[in-house]
Amino acid sequence: MDLISFLIRVVWASPNTLIGLLIGGVGMCFGGRARIQGRAIEFYDGGTKWFIQRLPHGQFTLALTLGHTILGQTDASLDISREHEMVHVRQYERWGPLFLPAYYLSSIYMWLVGRRFYRDNPFEREAYDADGGEHDA
C-alpha cells in the first residue's frame, strides 16, 4: 500500500479512531498501557480493561476495534485476538465513518431475521474467517 493511499485510509477511518484514542487515553490515566502494533494503536489494562468489562458481554470480550485503535483487556488478549481485530481495522479503512452504523444495522437485521446478531453479522464472519475461527454453525 503506498503512502498516499494509506493516509487516505487513515483520514477516512479517523472519526472512529478518535473515539478509540479518547477511550484509550482516559484508560491510560487509570493505569492502562499502549503500544503500536502494525498500523494500529493498542490500549490495554487499567481503565481500558475496566471500560471493556462494563460493556454488554464485556467480560467475554477480548478486544474491540475503533478505527486504527484496538482496545483490549490485557496484552495477552490483544495477542490472541490481533488477527481478528486487524480485519476490523481493514473494514474501517474501507467503510470509514459508515462502519459503525453499517455494523449495527447488520446486527439488527440478523436479529430481526432470527439469526445471531453478533456471530452472523457479516463483518464478524469476515473477521472469524480470516483468523480461522469457527461460526458455531
Side-chain angles (χ1 to χ4, degrees), residues 5-65:
S5 174
F6 174 71
L7 291 175
I8 290 169
R9 290 171 190 247
V10 167
V11 170
W12 181 232
S14 67
N16 297 303
T17 302
L18 291 173
I19 296 167
L21 290 172
L22 177 65
I23 295 167
V26 171
M28 288 182 68
C29 292
F30 295 95
R33 301 186 65 182
R35 64 184 177 202
I36 296 174
Q37 188 72 34
R39 58 186 192 245
I41 302 170
E42 298 180 338
F43 295 95
Y44 59 98
D45 286 339
T48 304
K49 181 178 180 177
W50 180 91
F51 172 79
I52 291 171
Q53 290 179 342
R54 269 123 193 105
L55 295 172
H57 305 286
Q59 67 272 24
F60 305 111
T61 301
L62 293 176
L64 65 95
T65 301

Side-chain angles (χ1 to χ4, degrees), residues 30-105:
F30 295 95
R33 301 186 65 182
R35 64 184 177 202
I36 296 174
Q37 188 72 34
R39 58 186 192 245
I41 302 170
E42 298 180 338
F43 295 95
Y44 59 98
D45 286 339
T48 304
K49 181 178 180 177
W50 180 91
F51 172 79
I52 291 171
Q53 290 179 342
R54 269 123 193 105
L55 295 172
H57 305 286
Q59 67 272 24
F60 305 111
T61 301
L62 293 176
L64 65 95
T65 301
L66 291 165
H68 286 91
T69 62
I70 302 173
L71 309 174
Q73 292 209 33
T74 64
D75 61 338
S77 67
L78 287 166
D79 291 341
I80 293 166
S81 62
R82 183 166 296 114
E83 193 171 344
H84 178 101
E85 298 305 327
M86 287 307 297
V87 171
H88 292 313
V89 169
R90 291 188 296 276
Q91 291 169 340
Y92 276 101
E93 289 177 348
R94 285 192 307 267
W95 287 80
L98 304 174
F99 178 80
L100 287 177
Y103 183 97
Y104 288 113
L105 287 171

